[in-house]
Amino acid sequence: MELKVSGLSKSYRRGNNKEVRAVDGISLAIDKGELVTVNGPSGCGKTTLLLMAGGLMSPDRGEVLLGGRDLYALPPEERDRERALRVGFVFQQFYLVPYLTVTENILIPSVGSGTWSPSLEERALELIYRLNLGHRAEHKPGELSTGERQRVALARALINEPSVLFADEPTGNLDDDNAEIVLDHIAGYAKEGGAVLLVSHDSRVGNRAHRVHRMKEGRFLEN
Ligand SMILES: Nc1ncnc2c1ncn2[C@@H]1O[C@H](COP(=O)(O)OP(=O)(O)OP(=O)(O)O)[C@@H](O)[C@H]1O
Ligand SMILES: [Mg+2]
């Protein structure tokens, strides 16, 4: 298994506010070559689940095995390194760097993980063309449409050829044609041997999935 998540739980507490149990005992596993989707309404805990599974937020309970290594049992620096080398993350809010161009944004993870090389710039260009961004390579995020920014975020997540791709609402802001392009690309990434975990409230993303988990109030409905 490329990714194995067991018994993950997370509650948020804020001041005197009532505790929100965002994720409540979720388990799932994804092998190389598989695309798994989690589908559920706004607020059911999808982003919380994805952040924990991707090594970005410690769970209250449960564990995450990435390539067989228990992520949250590692010292923080080592966990960061694992994540930089093995994880690609498409954030719901993109988090592009405003003063860098599209091409530079896509190359950020390769700098962080020390994998930069001239051939990576070629890979960045290839991603730019395949994701329909050819005419925007030297633009800054502020000059792009939301859908274009979303595709830059996907290219950035793929630049290091991660073993697991985590995607949070990757079609949320796209018209049908561009949603199709993005989903093709993500499904293609799985076909080439990647493991993909995609969360969305858009039930259409399940069409190409190997497994679809339906989520409600922090839990999966089936399995
Ligand atoms: N930092 C936080 N502090 C307090 N509560 C939070 C925090 N982040 C999320 N929540 C709450 O946890 C629950 C799950 O949130 P989450 O963002 O995981 O949902 P989601 O399924 O991704 O929703 P959406 O489809 O709108 O993106 C919600 O009730 C939300 O209000
Ligand atoms: Mg979300």
Side-chain angles (χ1 to χ4, degrees):
M1 283 296 158
E2 207 51 40
L3 177 74
K4 194 162 185 291
V5 159
S6 344
L8 276 195
S9 295
K10 182 83 183 179
S11 295
Y12 294 112
R13 295 165 204 89
R14 271 283 163 80
N16 296 325
N17 294 349
K18 202 170 133 256
E19 171 175 304
V20 176
R21 191 168 285 200
V23 170
D24 189 7
I26 284 201
S27 303
L28 62 84
I30 310 181
D31 220 336
K32 286 186 172 66
E34 286 184 335
L35 166 59
V36 171
T37 63
V38 174
N39 196 222
S42 180
C44 74
K46 302 182 295 297
T47 296
T48 306
L49 170 63
L50 209 65
L51 290 173
M52 292 191 288
L56 290 164
M57 185 167 67
S58 305
D60 295 338
R61 278 194 309 283
E63 62 175 23
V64 176
L65 298 182
L66 184 72
R69 301 191 78 189
D70 183 348
L71 270 190
Y72 293 101
L74 297 173
E77 317 80 63
E78 213 172 318
R79 179 163 72 239
D80 288 348
R81 227 179 68 84
E82 279 293 295
R83 207 179 52 226
L85 291 172
R86 308 176 65 100
V87 165
F89 212 105
V90 182
F91 294 96
Q92 190 167 11
Q93 319 288 355
F94 317 143
Y95 300 131
L96 301 176
V97 179
Y99 53 84
L100 298 180
T101 66
V102 163
T103 309
E104 290 163 345
N105 263 286
I106 293 171
L107 285 165
I108 289 174
S110 68
V111 178
S113 61
T115 54
W116 184 87
S117 73
S119 69
L120 228 75
E121 297 212 3
E122 279 169 39
R123 177 168 163 75
L125 270 181
E126 192 193 314
L127 285 165
I128 283 170
Y129 284 102
R130 282 170 63 179
L131 288 167
N132 244 356
L133 290 163
H135 54 314
R136 292 288 181 266
E138 299 310 316
H139 286 240
K140 308 236 166 98
E143 302 158 355
L144 303 178
S145 73
T146 309
E148 287 167 341
R149 284 200 283 264
Q150 189 142 39
R151 283 175 278 143
V152 176
L154 175 60
R156 182 183 57 185
L158 291 172
I159 189 72
N160 272 347
E161 303 185 69
S163 52
V164 186
L165 173 67
F166 296 87
D168 197 345
E169 302 287 358
T171 61
N173 301 288
L174 301 182
D175 60 32
D176 285 349
D177 285 350
N178 281 302
E180 211 46 27
I181 290 172
V182 160
L183 286 176
D184 273 348
H185 211 85
I186 291 175
Y189 197 72
K191 209 171 247 168
E192 288 162 19
V196 183
L197 179 58
L198 191 167
V199 307
S200 179
H201 54 247
D202 179 356
S203 58
R204 289 172 303 178
V205 303
N207 292 341
R208 296 157 211 243
H210 294 84
R211 278 188 300 291
V212 178
H213 297 288
R214 288 186 308 134
M215 191 168 178
K216 195 180 171 193
E217 293 171 5
R219 298 174 181 229
F220 285 170
L221 293 179
E222 70 294 306
N223 331 303

